[in-house]
Amino acid sequence: ILNVEQSPQSLHVQEGDSTNFTCSFPSSNFYALHWYRWETAKSPEALFVMTLNGDEKKKGRISATLNTKEGYSYLYIKGSQPEDSATYLCALTGTYNFNKFYFGSGTKLNVKP
Amino acid sequence: NAGVTQTPKFQVLKTGQSMTLQCAQDMNHNSMYWYRQDPGMGLRLIYYSASEGTTDKGEVPNGYNVSRLNKREFSLRLESAAPSQTSVYFCASSVRGFQDEQFFGPGTRLTVL
């Protein structure tokens, strides 16, 4: 079992604030990391797939970085909007079985207008 | 394209009853997954199928069986339902596996009394 930890558990910000959260994982057993956005009453939707140390990905106001040597990934949201309110999940696969995904418990973001 | 579809959307079972959750995708994806989601926890992988004709256990396979019927369909069977299997079940698919984003179905909410 791969231990994937996300922090903080929840976050409340004002519209326009920039924010970031963390996904931590065992650096010795990494193959790929996925970020997903999960709105209430919907299904998770993919944001990024990251496989290389130093990867940086961007989609609009959302970006992510990956450090496999120290075992973390950051997700940044610039200028948060109410529609960014969702739970953000990261998922990891390891070198021993790269098709077996382990999800963190998520960071729940609430953006107040 | 319908994407990933799941049936049924809701189900109530009595302890000991059996049922099959159906999942189908029309995106010609090779890999398919079954997850369960419980309060306070992230998604946990039950079983996955990396390609047609293969299935493997995930993190929480006990009490479940799967069938990859063909490339499109991946079903999850509960042989003798238990209250601990009360959960929301999500099916997902991806083109090749770890290096590709997963597309999720709408979920099945199962209650076992």
Side-chain angles (χ1 to χ4, degrees):
Chain A
I1 293 180
L2 291 181
N3 194 22
V4 181
E5 293 186 357
Q6 291 189 246
S7 61
Q9 213 168 4
S10 65
L11 201 50
H12 297 263
V13 302
Q14 291 292 135
E15 182 176 353
D17 288 349
S18 292
T19 187
N20 66 86
F21 12 97
T22 307
C23 175
S24 302
F25 52 86
S27 58
S28 59
N29 190 0
F30 172 86
Y31 212 82
L33 186 138
H34 293 207
W35 280 102
Y36 291 86
R37 181 170 178 272
W38 193 357
E39 290 181 73
T40 303
K42 294 189 177 180
S43 302
E45 290 183 346
L47 288 171
F48 306 114
V49 176
M50 310 177 83
T51 57
L52 299 175
N53 184 44
D55 251 355
E56 292 186 18
K57 303 264 182 169
K58 188 173 180 181
K59 187 183 286 190
R61 293 178 292 97
I62 304 177
S63 61
T65 60
L66 177 65
N67 184 325
T68 61
K69 294 186 177 180
E70 294 184 36
Y72 64 84
S73 175
Y74 292 142
L75 189 79
Y76 300 92
I77 302 179
K78 185 177 178 182
S80 302
Q81 300 296 308
E83 57 265 30
D84 296 328
S85 296
T87 296
Y88 292 83
L89 298 171
C90 69
L92 193 80
T93 67
T95 50
Y96 299 114
N97 190 331
F98 48 82
N99 276 311
K100 202 165 174 175
F101 282 83
Y102 295 89
F103 277 78
S105 54
T107 292
K108 188 168 185 177
L109 175 66
N110 182 34
V111 182
K112 296 178 186 175
Chain B
N1 280 357
V4 180
T5 56
Q6 291 182 236
T7 54
K9 284 189 166 55
F10 301 95
Q11 185 71 50
V12 178
L13 291 178
K14 293 182 180 176
T15 297
Q17 287 185 316
S18 62
M19 79 160 295
T20 300
L21 281 63
Q22 306 284 355
C23 173
Q25 50 89 11
D26 61 1
M27 296 174 283
N28 201 35
H29 285 176
N30 290 300
S31 300
M32 296 186 74
Y33 310 84
W34 274 107
Y35 294 94
R36 60 179 287 172
Q37 197 268 323
D38 302 296
M41 307 185 78
L43 295 164
R44 291 186 293 169
L45 183 65
I46 305 170
Y47 271 93
Y48 66 96
S49 170
S51 60
E52 186 180 356
T54 69
T55 60
D56 276 296
K57 293 179 181 178
E59 187 183 348
V60 288
N62 290 347
Y64 305 95
N65 285 302
V66 290
S67 296
R68 184 76 184 264
L69 303 167
N70 47 55
K71 194 170 186 180
R72 288 189 64 246
E73 298 172 288
F74 188 38
S75 62
L76 178 73
R77 182 158 178 86
L78 287 70
E79 290 291 352
S80 179
S84 60
Q85 294 179 302
T86 293
S87 188
V88 181
Y89 292 85
F90 286 94
C91 177
S93 70
S94 68
V95 176
R96 293 166 295 179
F98 69 92
Q99 59 200 327
D100 296 308
E101 62 185 304
Q102 294 183 32
F103 293 82
F104 285 82
T108 294
R109 186 173 292 275
L110 175 68
T111 302
V112 184
L113 302 174

